[in-house]
Amino acid sequence: MSETNPAAAAAPSAEVAPHRYTAAMAADIEARWQDFWDADGTYAAPNPKGDLGGDPEIVARPKKFIMDMFPYPSGAGLHVGHPLGYIATDVYARFQRMTGHNVLHTLGFDAFGLPAEQYAVQTGTHPRVSTEANIENMKSQLRRLGLGHDKRRSFATIDPDYYKWTQWIFLQIFNSWYDEEARKARPIAELIAQFESGERAIPGSTRAWSELSAGERADVLGEYRLAYASDAPVNWCPGLGTVLANEEVTADGRSERGNYPVFKAKLRQWNMRITAYADRLLEDLEELDWPEAIKLQQRNWIGRSEGARVDFPIDGEKITVFTTRPDTLFGATYMVLAPEHPLVEKFTPAAWPEGTHAVWTGGHATPAEAVAAYRAQAASKSDVERQAEAKDKTGVFIGAYATNPVNGEQVPVFVADYVLMGYGTGAIMAVPAGDQRDFEFARAFELPIHCIVEPTDGRGTDTATWENAFGSYDAKIINSSNDDISLDGLGVAEAKARITAWMAERGIGEGTVNFRLRDWLFSRQRYWGEPFPIVYDEDGTAHALPESMLPLELPEVEDYSPRTFDPDDADTQPETPLSRNEEWVNVTLDLGDGPKKYRRETNTMPNWAGSCWYEFRYLDPHNDQKLVDPGIEQYWMGPRAGQPHGGVDLYVGGAEHAVLHLLYARFWSKVLYDLGHVSSAEPFHKLFNQGMIQAYVYRDSRGIAVPAAEVEERDGAYYHEGEKVSRLLGKMGKSLKNAVTPDEIAAEYGADTLRLYEMAMGPLDVSRPWDTRAVVGQFRLLQRLWRNIVDENTGEITVVDTAPDEDTLRALHKAIDGVGQDLEGLRFNTAIAKVTELNNHLTKVGGAVSRPVAESLVLMVAPLAPHVAEELWRKLGHTDSVVHRDFPVADPQYVVDETVTCVVQIKGKVKARLEVAPAISEDELEKVALADEAVVRALDGATVRKVIVRAPKLVNIVTG
């Protein structure tokens, strides 16, 4: 919004004192100190060994590894909302240095991915060129904020020296399998040895390992590898020309980026077997210092549920279902397969069985026609649409019956879109009496409903009168028995246990655990990503490149764009940009058995790959022999007291990554831990989610955003070029025309003011609205701080060496104590309030400030406003930097109030106020209160029946 510039006081003029703290002075101070820090290596954190080793005394200190979530270098640059977390971690890191820690704090760039590629497609600029330019711009903006990063450790994921190790990790995962008995990943060579020796049988085969062809062996190992390629249902997004992981699809079934429709398709893609780690990902959450809301999201996404697998015989084979309610098996009256289920075609006959109910056929002449039409219809819907509670239930009979294994009843098999291939086995036994969706489907398709629970709501057992499913978890089981077993009269838990044991004895089912979590789809049909270090021989068998051939660099191409399609055209197939580079794709290589022709993988890794492990690269960024030196990794991230799984000490970023980056990074860490490459089984011990800086969006009558800076406020309404506009609080961004850049604010007030304002706006984890007019408040705080130490006319310091008065000592040490606790607890807004209170006290007292007070105040300010603190520290006669100075220590005798006021009540009415010591005991306080003259007069000889003491602030006397 347009307004008079409140920073006008900062602008130099003939009337301004020559040494007043102004925006111009702030700019000069900040630029000088940023140059000094860079030249001096002020923020270089020494490793215990290697090329970044340093002072043994600093290495011997307790360590703190502090991280921000990887930034993506956008061409639009930063607005003031972006640096919120970066400033917060910088303040915390500075405080930790001042409290005796060796602090690792740095920042790299997550630079592969869709935005740069889309920009390249639009402009013809190579993604590397635009990305590197964006990185340089972002570095300049971040430097201006005075962030104390160890720049020796910075990198970008697009650096071949970096993605060499991303590819290397992929190969570790590809060459591993998960041993369920050992509960850990093991090298695939150990599994092969078990097959070769006969110790482990080959699933589904009686042949020896030596009798299998190379292709057959590859297929067997593919069922075990933690990274594997498979033909599987995927999320195909024609509008983007790529497939997406489940986590990249929004709740309404559209792409997270671009908001295009997403469809189910079957394609051969790379996957990560993250499901093997589902239990460990759940269990280890308990030891992490994370927000409970993020833990809950991960628990829900992993979705652990206990139940049973049950086999329903069909045509001499079986359909296996997973159910959490095996106790309701006697109530199963039909089955449903997901439209994508591979068994649908297998059991669909040529003609409808005699007597097939007309409503089951969908009006089609044959089961094949009905199934094909229904599958096409289901493919056009998102998972959310398919699961919608209110929608009409649709489906078709496949023309086959299965057998209910507990009562021998023939149950019809349907396909219906309310069953998803991604949960359980993609098949359900339908129990209309106990499940609302099954009930509605049964009513729509005129299927039987067997009552197998004892209703407790008066509805009775005649299901024809029911309007909805019963589904009570506490109900007694009824109508559930055969010649071998009876569940009648049992509660749910007992019935579950009995039927599960019965099925296990007969080999028709078993108790099992199921997870909502699906394997991570790891292929993208894009150009700007890490190439897979995989080649295929002439038989189509995948081979890993040897480590000596890494990095496999991304080739130059003329056309960066994948083939995109009409966003609504589900009947399309991906075509990758790399597949058009024949010279790169088709190669002759010697992989150890002589030169042979191979074809490279033309998909690339998703943008999440580089951010799955970047914390390790920060530790040892120049190592070209190992992912990370074990001693260095152990020093910074190894397990220790309070951190049993190790990890980064503090990780700050947005809550939106709960089930994307955070889950993926945890999985990669566990694989690397299992294989002995790292000592930390978890990447991030403490997680903190910062809130969002919001801004007002102004829209005209057409709903189009207008520039916020051009809006005027008149009589409580808002106008743009004379037209009234609406105002709504929302995100800040270039497209909404409400972005304010940190460069603008730094130019008007200085970076220290911007830092203080963003930290003072409110609690770090709460979203808050940006108000440019309020920034001046923090600027004035710095001006008053400056004025308390420096003469604005001469530039000389005004402090004196005399001792401060008692009130000032008390104010100082209370501030030291409070600010230190607040900085440790990430309560930066209240820390600034305490600094302000002390500064105001000094201003109010007037006169020259005592040197010990001035120096302590500067040191308290140093983590928050480092440039002005450095300048004042130098003016106070010191030649060292405040960065590594000790944070002041409060004297306990001044932290506690000298006296507190105790209220004395008689029959609930205040009769006296006593000044007492804060540590007074309850017995002593009672004696003092009863002896007080005002209390004696008020009692006037009345009998004291009871005295209630709450030392040191309350005494309540009951008479009568």
Side-chain angles (χ1 to χ4, degrees), residues 429 689 699 732 802:
M429 61 175 211
N689 296 131
R699 298 185 184 275
M732 181 180 286
T802 56

Side-chain angles (χ1 to χ4, degrees), residues 281-395:
L281 288 168
L282 277 174
E283 292 164 7
D284 291 353
L285 272 176
E286 302 308 315
E287 302 289 348
L288 299 182
D289 186 3
W290 284 19
E292 192 55 39
I294 299 295
K295 289 185 177 183
L296 181 60
Q297 285 184 67
Q298 289 215 353
R299 291 188 192 106
N300 290 342
W301 191 261
I302 294 168
R304 187 182 194 275
S305 53
E306 295 186 8
R309 290 187 183 272
V310 186
D311 295 334
F312 281 69
I314 178 172
D315 295 344
E317 298 188 49
K318 64 184 179 182
I319 296 175
T320 301
V321 304
F322 170 80
T323 176
T324 59
R325 294 295 305 271
D327 54 303
T328 63
L329 256 169
F330 286 90
T333 60
Y334 65 98
M335 297 187 72
V336 182
L337 300 178
E340 307 86 358
H341 202 294
L343 294 180
V344 172
E345 293 175 0
K346 183 172 188 176
F347 294 128
T348 300
W352 294 114
E354 185 176 347
T356 296
H357 202 323
V359 76
W360 295 2
T361 68
H364 294 279
T366 67
E369 291 175 13
V371 168
Y374 189 79
R375 279 179 144 178
Q377 173 188 329
S380 66
K381 297 178 183 178
S382 71
D383 286 356
V384 174
E385 290 173 315
R386 288 170 56 171
Q387 293 275 286
E389 292 292 337
K391 82 177 188 72
D392 293 334
K393 295 298 179 287
T394 62

Side-chain angles (χ1 to χ4, degrees), residues 830-870:
T830 54
I832 292 170
K834 292 177 174 69
V835 167
T836 304
E837 186 179 350
L838 174 61
N839 201 48
N840 289 345
H841 169 85
L842 298 177
T843 302
K844 183 178 179 181
V845 169
V849 176
S850 170
R851 175 176 286 276
V853 176
E855 293 188 346
S856 293
L857 178 57
V858 168
L859 292 173
M860 273 189 280
V861 168
L864 297 152
H867 307 91
V868 71
E870 289 277 30

Side-chain angles (χ1 to χ4, degrees), residues 26 128 135 164 171 231 286 293 369 512 532 552 572 576 590 593 661-663 681 702 726 826 853 929 946:
R128 180 175 289 281
I135 289 174
K164 164 188 175 179
L171 292 180
D231 293 315
E286 302 308 315
E369 291 175 13
T512 189
F532 282 93
L552 172 60
T572 48
T576 63
D590 185 349
D593 53 356
H661 159 62
L662 289 173
L663 199 60
R702 300 166 298 170
S726 64
L826 305 176
V853 176
K946 188 176 184 181

Side-chain angles (χ1 to χ4, degrees), residues 401-414:
Y401 290 82
T403 303
N404 187 323
V406 296
N407 57 20
E409 288 186 4
Q410 294 297 103
V411 293
V413 181
F414 285 76

